Amino acid sequence: MSQYDFLSSLGIQDVNPGAYDGTWIDTTGPELRPINPATGKPLPAVKDANRADYRRVVKAAQQAWLRWRELPAPKRGEYVRRIGEKLRERKDELGQLVSLECGKIYQEGLGEIQECIDIADFAVGLSRQLYGLTIASERPQHHMRETWHPLGVVGIITAFNFPAAVWAWNACVSLVCGNAHVWKPSRKTPLTALAMTRVCAEVLEEDGFGALLGLIVGTDDEVGNAMLTDQRLPLISATGSVRMGRIVAEKVGKRLGRSLLELGGNNALTVLDDADLGLATRAIVFGAVGTAGQRCTTTRRVLVHHKIHDELARRLVDAYGTVKIGDPLDPATLMGPLIDAQAVAQFEAAVEAAKSQGGEVLTGGTAHRAEGDLAGGFYVQPTIIKARADMPIVQEETFAPILYLIPIKGVNEAIRIQNDVPQGLSSAIFTRNVRHAERFLSAVGSDCGIANVNIGTSGAEIGGAFGGEKETGGGRESGSDSWKAYMRRQTSTVNWGTELPLAQGIQFGE
Ligand code: UN1
């Protein structure tokens, strides 16, 4: 364990409790042992929470919420400001833990914690800007206004690939909105959730508000379903696969609750023949290889003008040849492992499917055999496949570093092919032509929630609204006015006169 000494400074023991309701609950469930994807060896364990633990966490969250909702929003923002400070203090260790547990390289682990700090800062500012509208009333001596109020206890379900940041997007914004939370993290990355909760809740514990950041590590049967069907959770914010999103939407919809979904992407990056190829190459490599292709924003398809296809392919193959695969905590590494053996199998199956559907592997295409300590890790080679848009595999999101290179004739064909998939998260175009760029951003252009010009599909800043259309689920998280999803809107009409005129001019009685 010596190489993991930093874990104890984050409060991680060999075996850890799996629930938090303001204090750590001594859960008794079976031990969940996350695996270090870089080595295949077990990490410290977490004892699963059960239904009774879940009830306890929700109850404590509800009670804390009753007091929290009465605090003025800027006062709530002050707590979030201090959460941001704590995250700054612990950035290195938390970044290291993210890297250890989910396998992204340390630079990206640090980036993830920075994303948490950024959203905390954003939320602090937001706490003084939860604006409503005033609306002109049609009646004399009346006024109308809209006010935004806290929702209650918000359920947050997160995926392994951003084990800290996606929770922070939700929790920081939603805290200033005046809500309490119950977080069910991915079962592949529970330790990051434990550490994030410990660091952030410390600030709230001082005033008995720890339960606002409830945490529950448990199975879907025991805990997940309980959240989805629980009337006490007015909003479930869930990030993960389309399959998971459908279950969430159905179960939460059935009780007429709200869900905020951030699901799969199948993101295309178009390169026109006037593009800066150096820029495009760098953006594609980061977008396709970063986080080993396991971001929802990962570049999965490059739609390249046929005139420059061979040149771009050559540049990409050369760049891929320099990608060092290995231990994500080694500063020389550019691509770490996939999350688990199943992800490697899915990578292999997708490559086989692509080949059988007529794809041509330009580089990569197989698992990567690592040596020594890393021999049990889940490594694959970053892969480029020359493909056609009509290959069925190209319609699917495979959470792995597989890039499909598809020749196109121009901007219109690129837009058509780009949009012709079930998902609609992120997209990008590389061109120097303002007409093509603006067409791409127009109503007849990209149908995605994110559409970029001359930057890649991944690595969004927190200031914008994040999310996408179609099977991506339609939700928006993080910046802009995403906060509205975490509040309830109230329209008020106030009569300050002595008459009672009715709207629409209705005369009723006298
Ligand atoms: C995700 O993969 O679920 O834009 C989130 C990005 C990151 C967030 C990705 N800021 O790539």
Side-chain angles (χ1 to χ4, degrees):
M1 280 298 282
S2 62
Q3 56 179 329
Y4 303 148
D5 275 350
F6 74 96
L7 289 180
S8 55
S9 78
L10 291 169
I12 308 278
Q13 313 296 316
D14 277 348
V15 179
N16 300 276
Y20 174 82
D21 73 345
T23 56
W24 290 92
I25 300 176
D26 195 11
T27 46
T28 53
E31 281 182 15
L32 169 69
R33 258 200 194 272
I35 301 293
N36 177 353
T39 61
K41 300 209 175 92
L43 291 168
V46 182
K47 278 181 292 176
D48 263 342
N50 60 26
R51 197 59 72 96
D53 300 319
Y54 168 74
R55 283 196 285 267
R56 195 172 142 179
V57 172
V58 175
K59 195 162 173 221
Q62 264 193 321
Q63 276 163 0
W65 175 66
L66 293 176
R67 287 194 297 130
W68 183 247
R69 67 178 176 172
E70 289 197 56
L71 282 191
K75 293 270 183 289
R76 302 194 291 249
E78 170 59 13
Y79 284 93
V80 176
R81 188 185 66 73
R82 285 166 53 214
I83 287 175
E85 275 176 6
K86 286 271 182 228
L87 290 170
R88 281 181 169 85
E89 282 166 25
R90 313 305 293 273
K91 180 175 171 185
D92 291 356
E93 298 131 289
L94 287 167
Q96 210 172 333
L97 174 54
V98 166
S99 179
L100 177 73
E101 199 179 27
C102 85
K104 62 177 72 174
I105 60 172
Y106 182 47
Q107 273 304 315
E108 292 186 285
L110 288 176
E112 171 146 9
I113 304 306
Q114 187 58 46
E115 196 158 341
C116 303
I117 295 167
D118 292 345
I119 197 71
D121 286 357
F122 177 91
V124 177
L126 177 68
S127 72
R128 291 184 183 267
Q129 302 176 76
L130 300 171
Y131 301 133
L133 295 173
T134 60
I135 299 151
S137 170
E138 68 190 45
R139 288 171 277 190
Q141 300 184 334
H142 281 55
H143 69 80
M144 283 202 287
R145 67 170 187 240
E146 279 182 359
T147 321
W148 294 86
H149 296 303
L151 270 184
V153 183
V154 172
I156 304 174
I157 297 172
T158 56
F160 77 86
N161 64 333
F162 274 81
V166 171
W167 170 75
W169 290 352
N170 283 280
C172 290
V173 169
S174 177
L175 270 174
V176 303
C177 290
N179 299 318
H181 307 88
V182 178
W183 179 15
K184 181 183 182 299
S186 163
R187 295 180 63 67
K188 294 170 185 172
T189 52
L191 300 177
T192 303
L194 257 51
M196 285 295 288
T197 300
R198 198 173 287 275
V199 168
C200 298
E202 201 182 306
V203 170
L204 296 158
E205 273 172 11
E206 290 166 20
D207 298 317
F209 280 127
L212 295 172
L213 295 183
L215 174 70
I216 190 101
V217 176
T219 62
D220 288 348
D221 276 352
E222 200 66 21
V223 169
N225 279 326
M227 288 174 78
L228 302 185
T229 53
D230 192 339
Q231 294 283 5
R232 294 169 301 176
L233 306 188
L235 171 68
I236 300 285
S237 173
T239 304
S241 66
V242 172
R243 196 190 65 80
M244 182 272 313
R246 276 190 218 285
I247 297 171
V248 173
E250 276 176 33
K251 295 207 167 163
V252 177
K254 193 154 186 210
R255 64 172 167 91
L256 299 181
R258 287 193 211 168
S259 48
L260 200 177
L261 301 176
E262 205 259 279
L263 312 174
N266 188 350
N267 316 299
L269 185 154
T270 293
V271 188
L272 297 183
D273 56 353
D274 64 355
D276 179 331
L277 279 192
L279 223 58
T281 305
R282 279 169 49 208
I284 294 166
V285 175
F286 176 69
V289 172
T291 325
Q294 299 171 109
R295 291 190 187 214
C296 53
T297 51
T298 290
T299 308
R300 308 215 173 272
R301 300 175 292 151
V302 165
L303 311 179
V304 54
H305 195 283
H306 63 92
K307 279 193 204 150
I308 53 162
H309 174 278
D310 291 354
E311 169 65 8
L312 183 68
R314 191 186 58 72
R315 288 191 191 215
L316 287 173
V317 169
D318 284 353
Y320 271 48
T322 67
V323 172
K324 191 169 171 312
I325 306 166
D327 180 356
L329 287 165
D330 176 344
T333 300
L334 211 57
M335 196 181 96
L338 293 182
I339 188 67
D340 56 18
Q342 197 191 352
V344 176
Q346 282 163 353
F347 162 89
E348 287 171 330
V351 172
E352 283 318 306
K355 284 201 273 194
S356 71
Q357 291 166 19
E360 180 195 341
V361 175
L362 301 182
T363 182
T366 61
H368 169 83
R369 303 274 158 246
E371 287 173 2
D373 273 358
L374 307 181
F378 309 116
Y379 300 94
V380 300
Q381 294 177 333
T383 297
I384 303 176
I385 298 177
K386 187 171 176 187
R388 289 186 327 273
D390 63 359
M391 287 165 44
I393 190 70
V394 173
Q395 296 277 311
E396 286 176 33
E397 176 190 53
T398 305
F399 236 46
I402 301 173
L403 183 68
Y404 300 110
L405 201 58
I406 299 168
I408 46 102
K409 292 192 203 63
V411 66
N412 290 332
E413 188 187 14
I415 291 170
R416 184 179 58 70
I417 292 175
Q418 181 205 279
N419 292 347
D420 191 22
V421 294
Q423 311 85 351
L425 179 55
S426 187
S427 59
I429 192 167
F430 279 71
T431 179
R432 291 184 170 99
N433 183 320
V434 71
R435 290 186 177 152
H436 295 333
E438 290 292 339
R439 168 169 291 271
F440 182 75
L441 302 179
S442 79
V444 297
S446 168
D447 66 0
C448 293
I450 299 171
N452 294 333
V453 175
N454 293 330
I455 59 165
T457 60
S458 71
E461 301 174 19
I462 57 92
F466 184 95
E469 304 304 329
K470 303 191 293 189
E471 284 191 359
T472 303
R476 293 296 187 278
E477 295 177 341
S478 191
S480 184
D481 66 352
S482 307
W483 61 270
K484 290 179 176 169
Y486 303 88
M487 303 198 84
R488 64 183 170 87
R489 182 197 313 236
Q490 190 165 71
T491 304
S492 308
T493 307
V494 176
N495 176 3
W496 55 275
T498 55
E499 304 294 320
L500 192 69
L502 298 177
Q504 296 89 43
I506 293 175
Q507 297 296 322
F508 194 76
E510 332 212 332

